[in-house]
Amino acid sequence: MSPVNRLCFIGNSHLACVKLAIDADRSALLARSVDYFAGSGYLMDKFHLVDGHFLTTDDAYLLTQMTSTSAGRDRIDMREYDAFVMVGLGIEYRDLFQLFRMHCLASDRKLSAGREVISDSFFTEFLARAYRNRAGYGLTRLIRTASPAPVIFLSSPYPSETIIGDKVNAHLRKLRGTSYFGDLVDFFIQCADSAAASVGAMFIPQSDDTLAAPGFTREALNHRAVGLAPPKVTRAENWHREKSTADPWHMNAEFGAARLRDIAAALDVVFSAPMRQGA
């Protein structure tokens, strides 16, 4: 029997591929009911607490997005759920990827000619400031005021392997085949895991079976990638849409299914942990 009766997803556009995967196979996630609350990533820090146990927002656009994806619910009752999953609302690999296009750590300077060297301490402080201001961590702190339910963080996907193909810039081609991207992923996972733990949450890195190489998602999982539909055209039962232009950062329902397997495994660990400790 599943340990989870009600599961709450809170996320940005990357939640769309997970929702599609559940639509395709409801048994993919062993929760008796699933609710979704989604909006643009840059707006998801605009939630606040009401009456001690509700999350809601006064931002008109976010509220429209939220009700479009939640079958009309305009607030999240944190008491109703056995677990929460934050999708794409924490420290993201994309942040590191973009930062290291212009900068590098001293340990990487041999691979990084022409980029500015920054110290480990500077970068650690950069990450600390970043995660304190990300929506997922603020939401988790609010959840903790009303619910002991576990919170799981899923990062946004690593970019499609297409961006390290023959047509990418010379800098990425030069690094392909080195340990650089693997080292960057290791650093990212370490930092993201620590950040999630700081608010009592669990971080789940992208599973190996979705990878073409360290830090890059298999091209097939990027085919017909999906995101959120605009509130004016979406319906609560169908709020995703296929990306109309090339987008290496969003993925499809097959990728969502892989993430669901990761969530199911994590929930099993979370809910069986007390039993194992007492065994």
Side-chain angles (χ1 to χ4, degrees), residues 25-36:
D25 181 7
R26 186 59 188 80
S27 67
L29 186 65
L30 299 179
R32 293 180 181 175
S33 69
V34 179
D35 290 332
Y36 309 93

Side-chain angles (χ1 to χ4, degrees), residues 92-144:
E92 303 304 336
Y93 178 75
R94 186 173 187 171
D95 299 331
L96 281 69
F97 191 86
Q98 291 176 333
L99 180 69
F100 283 125
R101 288 189 178 200
M102 297 177 291
H103 301 81
C104 69
L105 299 176
S107 58
D108 298 323
R109 69 175 67 197
K110 290 183 179 179
L111 298 173
S112 308
R115 290 188 291 158
E116 183 177 350
V117 177
I118 56 176
S119 68
D120 288 14
S121 61
F122 173 87
F123 191 60
T124 300
E125 178 58 26
F126 168 83
L127 289 177
R129 290 197 306 270
Y131 85 72
R132 281 196 297 265
N133 293 315
R134 289 297 168 87
Y137 301 95
L139 285 167
T140 301
R141 293 186 188 99
L142 291 175
I143 289 170
R144 286 284 168 261

Side-chain angles (χ1 to χ4, degrees), residues 167-207:
K167 295 182 180 180
V168 299
N169 63 54
H171 170 64
L172 291 183
R173 283 202 302 271
K174 181 178 67 175
L175 295 175
R176 188 173 57 185
T178 72
S179 66
Y180 177 81
F181 293 115
D183 293 342
L184 190 60
V185 168
D186 290 343
F187 190 74
F188 163 66
I189 291 174
Q190 177 185 346
C191 292
D193 189 59
S194 176
S198 73
V199 288
M202 173 189 290
F203 172 76
I204 308 178
Q206 193 169 320
S207 51

Side-chain angles (χ1 to χ4, degrees), residues 1-264:
M1 181 179 296
S2 171
V4 180
N5 288 317
R6 298 199 66 183
L7 181 64
C8 179
F9 282 99
I10 305 176
N12 59 13
S13 57
H14 296 288
L15 181 51
C17 69
V18 175
K19 192 262 188 183
L20 274 177
I22 293 175
D23 288 349
D25 181 7
R26 186 59 188 80
S27 67
L29 186 65
L30 299 179
R32 293 180 181 175
S33 69
V34 179
D35 290 332
Y36 309 93
F37 300 90
S40 299
Y42 70 94
L43 294 175
M44 294 297 286
D45 61 350
K46 296 185 180 297
F47 281 94
H48 60 267
L49 193 63
V50 175
D51 295 335
H53 53 264
F54 292 105
L55 288 175
T56 190
T57 182
D58 295 327
D59 185 271
Y61 192 82
L62 176 58
L63 187 63
T64 302
Q65 289 183 307
M66 175 181 173
T67 54
S68 296
T69 61
S70 68
R73 295 182 183 87
D74 62 359
R75 55 179 56 189
I76 304 171
D77 188 341
M78 295 179 284
R79 303 167 301 176
E80 291 187 355
Y81 299 101
D82 301 306
F84 296 83
V85 180
M86 302 287 175
V87 181
L89 300 179
I91 293 177
E92 303 304 336
Y93 178 75
R94 186 173 187 171
D95 299 331
L96 281 69
F97 191 86
Q98 291 176 333
L99 180 69
F100 283 125
R101 288 189 178 200
M102 297 177 291
H103 301 81
C104 69
L105 299 176
S107 58
D108 298 323
R109 69 175 67 197
K110 290 183 179 179
L111 298 173
S112 308
R115 290 188 291 158
E116 183 177 350
V117 177
I118 56 176
S119 68
D120 288 14
S121 61
F122 173 87
F123 191 60
T124 300
E125 178 58 26
F126 168 83
L127 289 177
R129 290 197 306 270
Y131 85 72
R132 281 196 297 265
N133 293 315
R134 289 297 168 87
Y137 301 95
L139 285 167
T140 301
R141 293 186 188 99
L142 291 175
I143 289 170
R144 286 284 168 261
T145 67
S147 172
V151 179
I152 291 171
F153 276 76
L154 298 186
S155 70
S156 301
Y158 299 143
S160 167
E161 63 180 310
T162 54
I163 68 171
I164 50 173
D166 293 335
K167 295 182 180 180
V168 299
N169 63 54
H171 170 64
L172 291 183
R173 283 202 302 271
K174 181 178 67 175
L175 295 175
R176 188 173 57 185
T178 72
S179 66
Y180 177 81
F181 293 115
D183 293 342
L184 190 60
V185 168
D186 290 343
F187 190 74
F188 163 66
I189 291 174
Q190 177 185 346
C191 292
D193 189 59
S194 176
S198 73
V199 288
M202 173 189 290
F203 172 76
I204 308 178
Q206 193 169 320
S207 51
D208 289 344
D209 62 345
T210 65
L211 303 181
F216 297 94
T217 302
R218 290 193 288 113
E219 182 178 0
L221 302 180
N222 178 241
H223 179 61
R224 301 184 66 180
V226 294
L228 297 182
K232 290 183 179 180
V233 301
T234 192
R235 301 186 306 275
E237 71 276 11
N238 184 24
W239 43 261
H240 53 80
R241 68 169 180 177
E242 186 176 336
K243 304 296 263 183
S244 58
T245 58
D247 182 343
W249 296 98
H250 284 77
M251 301 300 154
N252 58 26
E254 185 181 352
F255 180 85
R259 296 269 64 190
L260 288 174
R261 292 191 292 271
D262 296 336
I263 295 169

